[in-house]
Amino acid sequence: MSKNAENWLVHYEELKAYVEATGHFPSKHTALSNWVKYQRKRMKAGTMPEQQRLLFLKLSESRGVAAVDADAEDDGGNLFLRP
């Protein structure tokens, strides 16, 4: 496994723990919320590896949250998630 893939999994597990504790994705401007925004950008651009995309989607769908909203606003690369 590459270092990037390992780092992705570390962030994913951090997000998973956050979602399990709060029931939602982070909305404040934190390192974790920035990581989530970047993952949404990668999904929208089609550059996220399939395994990562499936894990991200599974986590977002388990909490009734859309990973990428088709009507989401784009503020220069940051996609806003709507519940």
Side-chain angles (χ1 to χ4, degrees):
M1 180 181 297
S2 72
K3 187 67 173 169
N4 284 342
E6 289 177 19
N7 286 338
W8 191 91
L9 282 175
V10 168
H11 285 98
Y12 172 79
E13 290 298 331
E14 183 181 348
L15 175 62
K16 185 177 175 182
Y18 181 92
V19 170
E20 287 173 354
T22 66
H24 58 82
F25 277 16
S27 58
K28 305 258 183 205
H29 294 284
T30 64
L32 187 57
S33 68
N34 289 336
W35 183 82
V36 169
K37 288 177 188 178
Y38 180 66
Q39 301 316 305
R40 290 187 194 125
K41 181 179 177 180
R42 291 176 65 210
M43 285 180 61
K44 185 175 180 181
T47 60
M48 180 183 275
E50 185 67 10
Q51 183 180 12
Q52 291 178 359
R53 188 181 73 79
L54 292 174
L55 285 171
F56 195 78
L57 286 172
K58 182 179 176 182
L59 181 58
S60 63
E61 290 169 358
S62 72
R63 296 298 176 187
V65 178
V68 176
D69 186 335
D71 298 324
E73 298 177 29
D74 187 341
D75 71 344
N78 294 320
L79 301 177
F80 294 99
L81 187 73
R82 296 185 187 143

